[in-house]
């Protein structure tokens, strides 16, 4: 009976050692993978999350900027549809680019 118990104990210990070796190999593989991923992550720039301001003033400024952009696009579409000369179209575009800051300052006075 004691020989049988000793044999079973030896089998259990051998099984534990085999499982420990498998576990150690798995952990070593995982550690190598983590080290490789850490090296790659150090090379790749991390994305920067830009959070928008959520206040009333920021929302109003976004709406105003959207209105300015829409009006600019509408002016360009009208100019391209009504004018046949390329120089006139380019002239309207350049003039619009120059006048947008002036109109924004006059229409949306942000000091008040």
């Amino acid at each position: 009976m004691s020989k049988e118990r000793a044999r079973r104990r030896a089998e259990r210990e051998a099984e534990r050692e085999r499982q420990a070796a498998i576990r150690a190999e798995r952990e070593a593989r995982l550690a190598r993978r983590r080290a490789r991923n850490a090296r790659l992550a150090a090379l790749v720039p991390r994305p920067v999350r830009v959070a928008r301001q959520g206040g009333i003033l920021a929302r109003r400024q976004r709406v105003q900027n959207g209105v300015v952009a829409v009006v600019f696009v509408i002016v360009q579409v009208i100019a391209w549809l009504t004018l046949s000369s390329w120089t006139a179209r380019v002239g309207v575009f350049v003039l619009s680019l120059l006048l947008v800051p002036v109109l924004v300052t006059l229409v949306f006075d942000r000091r008040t």
Side-chain angles (χ1 to χ4, degrees), residues 11-37:
E11 287 176 359
R12 283 193 307 266
E13 288 175 4
E15 180 66 25
R16 274 192 217 115
E17 288 176 6
R18 196 174 79 235
Q19 292 297 330
I22 291 172
R23 192 176 320 113
E25 174 60 32
R26 187 180 309 136
E27 289 173 0
R29 196 170 43 239
L30 183 62
R32 287 192 305 266
R33 182 183 310 145
R34 284 183 181 154
R36 184 180 62 236
N37 288 345

PDB file of all heavy atoms in Angstrom, residues 11-37:
ATOM      1  N   GLU A  11       3.608  10.565  -9.119  1.00  0.00           N
ATOM      2  CA  GLU A  11       2.882  10.965 -10.333  1.00  0.00           C
ATOM      3  C   GLU A  11       2.272  12.355 -10.167  1.00  0.00           C
ATOM      4  O   GLU A  11       2.337  13.177 -11.084  1.00  0.00           O
ATOM      5  CB  GLU A  11       1.780   9.951 -10.635  1.00  0.00           C
ATOM      6  CG  GLU A  11       2.271   8.635 -11.169  1.00  0.00           C
ATOM      7  CD  GLU A  11       1.141   7.628 -11.349  1.00  0.00           C
ATOM      8  OE1 GLU A  11      -0.027   7.967 -11.030  1.00  0.00           O
ATOM      9  OE2 GLU A  11       1.423   6.517 -11.800  1.00  0.00           O
ATOM     10  N   ARG A  12       1.681  12.612  -8.994  1.00  0.00           N
ATOM     11  CA  ARG A  12       1.102  13.950  -8.748  1.00  0.00           C
ATOM     12  C   ARG A  12       2.173  15.026  -8.789  1.00  0.00           C
ATOM     13  O   ARG A  12       1.981  16.087  -9.375  1.00  0.00           O
ATOM     14  CB  ARG A  12       0.389  13.978  -7.392  1.00  0.00           C
ATOM     15  CG  ARG A  12      -0.961  13.300  -7.387  1.00  0.00           C
ATOM     16  CD  ARG A  12      -1.743  13.634  -6.136  1.00  0.00           C
ATOM     17  NE  ARG A  12      -1.020  13.369  -4.908  1.00  0.00           N
ATOM     18  CZ  ARG A  12      -1.091  12.254  -4.180  1.00  0.00           C
ATOM     19  NH1 ARG A  12      -1.894  11.274  -4.565  1.00  0.00           N
ATOM     20  NH2 ARG A  12      -0.404  12.118  -3.063  1.00  0.00           N
ATOM     21  N   GLU A  13       3.308  14.747  -8.182  1.00  0.00           N
ATOM     22  CA  GLU A  13       4.400  15.728  -8.179  1.00  0.00           C
ATOM     23  C   GLU A  13       4.938  15.944  -9.589  1.00  0.00           C
ATOM     24  O   GLU A  13       5.248  17.076  -9.980  1.00  0.00           O
ATOM     25  CB  GLU A  13       5.504  15.284  -7.232  1.00  0.00           C
ATOM     26  CG  GLU A  13       5.122  15.407  -5.769  1.00  0.00           C
ATOM     27  CD  GLU A  13       6.181  14.858  -4.837  1.00  0.00           C
ATOM     28  OE1 GLU A  13       7.251  14.439  -5.340  1.00  0.00           O
ATOM     29  OE2 GLU A  13       5.946  14.867  -3.624  1.00  0.00           O
ATOM     30  N   ALA A  14       5.048  14.847 -10.336  1.00  0.00           N
ATOM     31  CA  ALA A  14       5.512  14.981 -11.722  1.00  0.00           C
ATOM     32  C   ALA A  14       4.516  15.805 -12.536  1.00  0.00           C
ATOM     33  O   ALA A  14       4.906  16.667 -13.353  1.00  0.00           O
ATOM     34  CB  ALA A  14       5.714  13.608 -12.347  1.00  0.00           C
ATOM     35  N   GLU A  15       3.220  15.583 -12.308  1.00  0.00           N
ATOM     36  CA  GLU A  15       2.182  16.360 -13.005  1.00  0.00           C
ATOM     37  C   GLU A  15       2.252  17.825 -12.593  1.00  0.00           C
ATOM     38  O   GLU A  15       2.142  18.729 -13.432  1.00  0.00           O
ATOM     39  CB  GLU A  15       0.799  15.785 -12.701  1.00  0.00           C
ATOM     40  CG  GLU A  15      -0.343  16.507 -13.367  1.00  0.00           C
ATOM     41  CD  GLU A  15      -0.327  16.394 -14.874  1.00  0.00           C
ATOM     42  OE1 GLU A  15       0.243  15.425 -15.418  1.00  0.00           O
ATOM     43  OE2 GLU A  15      -0.872  17.311 -15.526  1.00  0.00           O
ATOM     44  N   ARG A  16       2.427  18.102 -11.307  1.00  0.00           N
ATOM     45  CA  ARG A  16       2.558  19.489 -10.843  1.00  0.00           C
ATOM     46  C   ARG A  16       3.767  20.158 -11.472  1.00  0.00           C
ATOM     47  O   ARG A  16       3.693  21.324 -11.875  1.00  0.00           O
ATOM     48  CB  ARG A  16       2.689  19.532  -9.315  1.00  0.00           C
ATOM     49  CG  ARG A  16       1.383  19.537  -8.620  1.00  0.00           C
ATOM     50  CD  ARG A  16       1.576  19.875  -7.136  1.00  0.00           C
ATOM     51  NE  ARG A  16       0.647  19.096  -6.365  1.00  0.00           N
ATOM     52  CZ  ARG A  16       0.948  18.140  -5.485  1.00  0.00           C
ATOM     53  NH1 ARG A  16       2.199  17.863  -5.220  1.00  0.00           N
ATOM     54  NH2 ARG A  16       0.007  17.482  -4.871  1.00  0.00           N
ATOM     55  N   GLU A  17       4.875  19.445 -11.542  1.00  0.00           N
ATOM     56  CA  GLU A  17       6.087  20.018 -12.148  1.00  0.00           C
ATOM     57  C   GLU A  17       5.873  20.305 -13.632  1.00  0.00           C
ATOM     58  O   GLU A  17       6.308  21.340 -14.151  1.00  0.00           O
ATOM     59  CB  GLU A  17       7.278  19.072 -11.940  1.00  0.00           C
ATOM     60  CG  GLU A  17       7.772  19.021 -10.514  1.00  0.00           C
ATOM     61  CD  GLU A  17       8.877  17.996 -10.326  1.00  0.00           C
ATOM     62  OE1 GLU A  17       9.334  17.413 -11.343  1.00  0.00           O
ATOM     63  OE2 GLU A  17       9.272  17.779  -9.174  1.00  0.00           O
ATOM     64  N   ARG A  18       5.192  19.376 -14.310  1.00  0.00           N
ATOM     65  CA  ARG A  18       4.921  19.596 -15.734  1.00  0.00           C
ATOM     66  C   ARG A  18       4.001  20.807 -15.917  1.00  0.00           C
ATOM     67  O   ARG A  18       4.234  21.660 -16.780  1.00  0.00           O
ATOM     68  CB  ARG A  18       4.293  18.340 -16.344  1.00  0.00           C
ATOM     69  CG  ARG A  18       4.344  18.363 -17.862  1.00  0.00           C
ATOM     70  CD  ARG A  18       3.860  17.088 -18.495  1.00  0.00           C
ATOM     71  NE  ARG A  18       2.396  17.106 -18.488  1.00  0.00           N
ATOM     72  CZ  ARG A  18       1.624  16.176 -17.963  1.00  0.00           C
ATOM     73  NH1 ARG A  18       2.146  15.123 -17.400  1.00  0.00           N
ATOM     74  NH2 ARG A  18       0.307  16.289 -18.007  1.00  0.00           N
ATOM     75  N   GLN A  19       2.954  20.912 -15.071  1.00  0.00           N
ATOM     76  CA  GLN A  19       2.056  22.070 -15.137  1.00  0.00           C
ATOM     77  C   GLN A  19       2.797  23.353 -14.792  1.00  0.00           C
ATOM     78  O   GLN A  19       2.568  24.401 -15.411  1.00  0.00           O
ATOM     79  CB  GLN A  19       0.865  21.876 -14.180  1.00  0.00           C
ATOM     80  CG  GLN A  19      -0.076  20.772 -14.582  1.00  0.00           C
ATOM     81  CD  GLN A  19      -0.751  21.045 -15.916  1.00  0.00           C
ATOM     82  OE1 GLN A  19      -0.976  22.183 -16.279  1.00  0.00           O
ATOM     83  NE2 GLN A  19      -1.048  19.973 -16.627  1.00  0.00           N
ATOM     84  N   ALA A  20       3.700  23.297 -13.809  1.00  0.00           N
ATOM     85  CA  ALA A  20       4.481  24.478 -13.445  1.00  0.00           C
ATOM     86  C   ALA A  20       5.383  24.901 -14.596  1.00  0.00           C
ATOM     87  O   ALA A  20       5.565  26.105 -14.865  1.00  0.00           O
ATOM     88  CB  ALA A  20       5.303  24.211 -12.187  1.00  0.00           C
ATOM     89  N   ALA A  21       5.976  23.918 -15.287  1.00  0.00           N
ATOM     90  CA  ALA A  21       6.825  24.241 -16.430  1.00  0.00           C
ATOM     91  C   ALA A  21       6.004  24.873 -17.551  1.00  0.00           C
ATOM     92  O   ALA A  21       6.437  25.855 -18.178  1.00  0.00           O
ATOM     93  CB  ALA A  21       7.535  22.983 -16.929  1.00  0.00           C
ATOM     94  N   ILE A  22       4.821  24.339 -17.797  1.00  0.00           N
ATOM     95  CA  ILE A  22       3.939  24.914 -18.821  1.00  0.00           C
ATOM     96  C   ILE A  22       3.546  26.337 -18.437  1.00  0.00           C
ATOM     97  O   ILE A  22       3.574  27.256 -19.263  1.00  0.00           O
ATOM     98  CB  ILE A  22       2.696  24.015 -19.021  1.00  0.00           C
ATOM     99  CG1 ILE A  22       3.088  22.702 -19.669  1.00  0.00           C
ATOM    100  CG2 ILE A  22       1.643  24.738 -19.849  1.00  0.00           C
ATOM    101  CD1 ILE A  22       1.967  21.677 -19.726  1.00  0.00           C
ATOM    102  N   ARG A  23       3.183  26.532 -17.157  1.00  0.00           N
ATOM    103  CA  ARG A  23       2.794  27.855 -16.670  1.00  0.00           C
ATOM    104  C   ARG A  23       3.964  28.839 -16.770  1.00  0.00           C
ATOM    105  O   ARG A  23       3.801  29.985 -17.175  1.00  0.00           O
ATOM    106  CB  ARG A  23       2.309  27.754 -15.232  1.00  0.00           C
ATOM    107  CG  ARG A  23       1.632  28.994 -14.727  1.00  0.00           C
ATOM    108  CD  ARG A  23       1.068  28.846 -13.316  1.00  0.00           C
ATOM    109  NE  ARG A  23       0.447  27.560 -13.052  1.00  0.00           N
ATOM    110  CZ  ARG A  23       0.909  26.635 -12.192  1.00  0.00           C
ATOM    111  NH1 ARG A  23       2.008  26.866 -11.495  1.00  0.00           N
ATOM    112  NH2 ARG A  23       0.279  25.499 -12.023  1.00  0.00           N
ATOM    113  N   ALA A  24       5.171  28.370 -16.411  1.00  0.00           N
ATOM    114  CA  ALA A  24       6.347  29.239 -16.481  1.00  0.00           C
ATOM    115  C   ALA A  24       6.638  29.644 -17.928  1.00  0.00           C
ATOM    116  O   ALA A  24       6.964  30.807 -18.211  1.00  0.00           O
ATOM    117  CB  ALA A  24       7.557  28.537 -15.873  1.00  0.00           C
ATOM    118  N   GLU A  25       6.501  28.693 -18.861  1.00  0.00           N
ATOM    119  CA  GLU A  25       6.722  29.011 -20.277  1.00  0.00           C
ATOM    120  C   GLU A  25       5.680  30.012 -20.766  1.00  0.00           C
ATOM    121  O   GLU A  25       5.990  30.964 -21.493  1.00  0.00           O
ATOM    122  CB  GLU A  25       6.673  27.731 -21.110  1.00  0.00           C
ATOM    123  CG  GLU A  25       6.753  27.971 -22.603  1.00  0.00           C
ATOM    124  CD  GLU A  25       8.034  28.669 -23.030  1.00  0.00           C
ATOM    125  OE1 GLU A  25       9.072  28.464 -22.396  1.00  0.00           O
ATOM    126  OE2 GLU A  25       7.982  29.445 -24.008  1.00  0.00           O
ATOM    127  N   ARG A  26       4.419  29.824 -20.357  1.00  0.00           N
ATOM    128  CA  ARG A  26       3.354  30.738 -20.754  1.00  0.00           C
ATOM    129  C   ARG A  26       3.620  32.143 -20.204  1.00  0.00           C
ATOM    130  O   ARG A  26       3.478  33.137 -20.911  1.00  0.00           O
ATOM    131  CB  ARG A  26       2.012  30.214 -20.256  1.00  0.00           C
ATOM    132  CG  ARG A  26       0.830  31.010 -20.760  1.00  0.00           C
ATOM    133  CD  ARG A  26      -0.498  30.461 -20.243  1.00  0.00           C
ATOM    134  NE  ARG A  26      -0.617  29.026 -20.464  1.00  0.00           N
ATOM    135  CZ  ARG A  26      -1.071  28.154 -19.567  1.00  0.00           C
ATOM    136  NH1 ARG A  26      -1.455  28.566 -18.372  1.00  0.00           N
ATOM    137  NH2 ARG A  26      -1.156  26.879 -19.851  1.00  0.00           N
ATOM    138  N   GLU A  27       4.037  32.212 -18.932  1.00  0.00           N
ATOM    139  CA  GLU A  27       4.324  33.517 -18.331  1.00  0.00           C
ATOM    140  C   GLU A  27       5.526  34.179 -18.986  1.00  0.00           C
ATOM    141  O   GLU A  27       5.550  35.399 -19.183  1.00  0.00           O
ATOM    142  CB  GLU A  27       4.537  33.360 -16.825  1.00  0.00           C
ATOM    143  CG  GLU A  27       3.256  33.053 -16.076  1.00  0.00           C
ATOM    144  CD  GLU A  27       3.502  32.739 -14.609  1.00  0.00           C
ATOM    145  OE1 GLU A  27       4.687  32.757 -14.190  1.00  0.00           O
ATOM    146  OE2 GLU A  27       2.524  32.471 -13.900  1.00  0.00           O
ATOM    147  N   ALA A  28       6.542  33.378 -19.336  1.00  0.00           N
ATOM    148  CA  ALA A  28       7.711  33.933 -20.018  1.00  0.00           C
ATOM    149  C   ALA A  28       7.322  34.466 -21.393  1.00  0.00           C
ATOM    150  O   ALA A  28       7.769  35.542 -21.806  1.00  0.00           O
ATOM    151  CB  ALA A  28       8.801  32.868 -20.151  1.00  0.00           C
ATOM    152  N   ARG A  29       6.476  33.725 -22.111  1.00  0.00           N
ATOM    153  CA  ARG A  29       6.010  34.170 -23.419  1.00  0.00           C
ATOM    154  C   ARG A  29       5.204  35.467 -23.284  1.00  0.00           C
ATOM    155  O   ARG A  29       5.373  36.405 -24.067  1.00  0.00           O
ATOM    156  CB  ARG A  29       5.174  33.062 -24.063  1.00  0.00           C
ATOM    157  CG  ARG A  29       4.957  33.234 -25.536  1.00  0.00           C
ATOM    158  CD  ARG A  29       4.337  32.004 -26.194  1.00  0.00           C
ATOM    159  NE  ARG A  29       3.255  31.413 -25.438  1.00  0.00           N
ATOM    160  CZ  ARG A  29       3.223  30.163 -24.978  1.00  0.00           C
ATOM    161  NH1 ARG A  29       4.243  29.366 -25.182  1.00  0.00           N
ATOM    162  NH2 ARG A  29       2.177  29.705 -24.311  1.00  0.00           N
ATOM    163  N   LEU A  30       4.348  35.526 -22.262  1.00  0.00           N
ATOM    164  CA  LEU A  30       3.562  36.735 -22.009  1.00  0.00           C
ATOM    165  C   LEU A  30       4.466  37.918 -21.655  1.00  0.00           C
ATOM    166  O   LEU A  30       4.251  39.039 -22.123  1.00  0.00           O
ATOM    167  CB  LEU A  30       2.546  36.482 -20.898  1.00  0.00           C
ATOM    168  CG  LEU A  30       1.598  37.619 -20.559  1.00  0.00           C
ATOM    169  CD1 LEU A  30       0.736  37.961 -21.759  1.00  0.00           C
ATOM    170  CD2 LEU A  30       0.732  37.235 -19.369  1.00  0.00           C
ATOM    171  N   ALA A  31       5.489  37.682 -20.855  1.00  0.00           N
ATOM    172  CA  ALA A  31       6.425  38.748 -20.489  1.00  0.00           C
ATOM    173  C   ALA A  31       7.183  39.243 -21.717  1.00  0.00           C
ATOM    174  O   ALA A  31       7.385  40.455 -21.881  1.00  0.00           O
ATOM    175  CB  ALA A  31       7.403  38.248 -19.427  1.00  0.00           C
ATOM    176  N   ARG A  32       7.607  38.318 -22.599  1.00  0.00           N
ATOM    177  CA  ARG A  32       8.287  38.732 -23.832  1.00  0.00           C
ATOM    178  C   ARG A  32       7.353  39.555 -24.719  1.00  0.00           C
ATOM    179  O   ARG A  32       7.748  40.571 -25.296  1.00  0.00           O
ATOM    180  CB  ARG A  32       8.796  37.511 -24.598  1.00  0.00           C
ATOM    181  CG  ARG A  32       9.998  36.852 -23.971  1.00  0.00           C
ATOM    182  CD  ARG A  32      10.644  35.841 -24.914  1.00  0.00           C
ATOM    183  NE  ARG A  32       9.721  34.823 -25.398  1.00  0.00           N
ATOM    184  CZ  ARG A  32       9.536  33.624 -24.856  1.00  0.00           C
ATOM    185  NH1 ARG A  32      10.223  33.288 -23.777  1.00  0.00           N
ATOM    186  NH2 ARG A  32       8.696  32.762 -25.385  1.00  0.00           N
ATOM    187  N   ARG A  33       6.086  39.129 -24.822  1.00  0.00           N
ATOM    188  CA  ARG A  33       5.112  39.856 -25.629  1.00  0.00           C
ATOM    189  C   ARG A  33       4.876  41.258 -25.056  1.00  0.00           C
ATOM    190  O   ARG A  33       4.833  42.248 -25.787  1.00  0.00           O
ATOM    191  CB  ARG A  33       3.794  39.102 -25.700  1.00  0.00           C
ATOM    192  CG  ARG A  33       2.771  39.807 -26.581  1.00  0.00           C
ATOM    193  CD  ARG A  33       1.432  39.103 -26.614  1.00  0.00           C
ATOM    194  NE  ARG A  33       1.568  37.691 -26.903  1.00  0.00           N
ATOM    195  CZ  ARG A  33       0.794  36.743 -26.382  1.00  0.00           C
ATOM    196  NH1 ARG A  33      -0.154  37.049 -25.534  1.00  0.00           N
ATOM    197  NH2 ARG A  33       0.956  35.487 -26.703  1.00  0.00           N
ATOM    198  N   ARG A  34       4.739  41.347 -23.723  1.00  0.00           N
ATOM    199  CA  ARG A  34       4.548  42.659 -23.099  1.00  0.00           C
ATOM    200  C   ARG A  34       5.744  43.570 -23.315  1.00  0.00           C
ATOM    201  O   ARG A  34       5.590  44.760 -23.569  1.00  0.00           O
ATOM    202  CB  ARG A  34       4.279  42.493 -21.610  1.00  0.00           C
ATOM    203  CG  ARG A  34       2.887  42.017 -21.314  1.00  0.00           C
ATOM    204  CD  ARG A  34       2.649  41.934 -19.838  1.00  0.00           C
ATOM    205  NE  ARG A  34       1.303  41.448 -19.563  1.00  0.00           N
ATOM    206  CZ  ARG A  34       0.949  40.824 -18.464  1.00  0.00           C
ATOM    207  NH1 ARG A  34       1.840  40.607 -17.507  1.00  0.00           N
ATOM    208  NH2 ARG A  34      -0.291  40.421 -18.303  1.00  0.00           N
ATOM    209  N   ALA A  35       6.947  43.012 -23.211  1.00  0.00           N
ATOM    210  CA  ALA A  35       8.154  43.813 -23.441  1.00  0.00           C
ATOM    211  C   ALA A  35       8.218  44.292 -24.884  1.00  0.00           C
ATOM    212  O   ALA A  35       8.547  45.455 -25.156  1.00  0.00           O
ATOM    213  CB  ALA A  35       9.398  42.992 -23.090  1.00  0.00           C
ATOM    214  N   ARG A  36       7.872  43.406 -25.825  1.00  0.00           N
ATOM    215  CA  ARG A  36       7.874  43.793 -27.237  1.00  0.00           C
ATOM    216  C   ARG A  36       6.836  44.880 -27.494  1.00  0.00           C
ATOM    217  O   ARG A  36       7.112  45.874 -28.173  1.00  0.00           O
ATOM    218  CB  ARG A  36       7.594  42.568 -28.112  1.00  0.00           C
ATOM    219  CG  ARG A  36       7.676  42.882 -29.602  1.00  0.00           C
ATOM    220  CD  ARG A  36       7.407  41.655 -30.467  1.00  0.00           C
ATOM    221  NE  ARG A  36       6.056  41.162 -30.239  1.00  0.00           N
ATOM    222  CZ  ARG A  36       5.743  39.922 -29.856  1.00  0.00           C
ATOM    223  NH1 ARG A  36       6.684  39.041 -29.637  1.00  0.00           N
ATOM    224  NH2 ARG A  36       4.490  39.562 -29.696  1.00  0.00           N
ATOM    225  N   ASN A  37       5.635  44.718 -26.930  1.00  0.00           N
ATOM    226  CA  ASN A  37       4.594  45.735 -27.108  1.00  0.00           C
ATOM    227  C   ASN A  37       4.998  47.052 -26.466  1.00  0.00           C
ATOM    228  O   ASN A  37       4.685  48.124 -26.998  1.00  0.00           O
ATOM    229  CB  ASN A  37       3.273  45.248 -26.525  1.00  0.00           C
ATOM    230  CG  ASN A  37       2.654  44.163 -27.378  1.00  0.00           C
ATOM    231  OD1 ASN A  37       3.038  43.963 -28.522  1.00  0.00           O
ATOM    232  ND2 ASN A  37       1.705  43.447 -26.802  1.00  0.00           N
TER     233      ASN A  37
END
